[in-house]
Amino acid sequence: MATKAELVRELQDLEDEYRFWLVEAIVIARGLDDMEEQIDQHEYELGPERAADFRLRLARTRERHLSIEEKIRYVRLRLEELHKRLAEIPGE
């Protein structure tokens, strides 16, 4: 069984990872929204083929964004699990 110090370190590492992925997801979401708006505003200038290409790229990026959000959910669940385990360990 892991010691309390090991669990605390693992918890800190996971919290760092959680914050990293959360910031990444926010940045990507904002970028996706901005890009979609730009495509909509300049669709006529871009032409139908180029606008369609940008939308396809945007869709792929949205898929990657969803996978990052899944990673965030997994890390959050792992954090909750570690918090529970840590609470069950008596102080050292």
Side-chain angles (χ1 to χ4, degrees), residues 6-55:
E6 290 169 334
L7 285 178
V8 167
R9 181 69 195 142
E10 187 175 349
L11 185 63
Q12 289 171 340
D13 290 345
L14 268 176
E15 286 173 344
D16 290 343
E17 182 179 356
Y18 179 77
R19 280 189 294 277
F20 171 81
W21 287 116
L22 198 58
V23 168
E24 287 297 307
I26 291 167
V27 168
I28 291 170
R30 287 181 181 163
L32 289 170
D33 292 342
D34 290 343
M35 181 59 77
E36 189 169 37
E37 186 177 308
Q38 290 296 318
I39 293 169
D40 290 343
Q41 287 178 358
H42 301 284
E43 184 171 2
Y44 180 76
E45 297 161 14
L46 293 170
E49 288 179 16
R50 186 117 189 238
D53 182 49
F54 281 130
R55 285 198 171 90

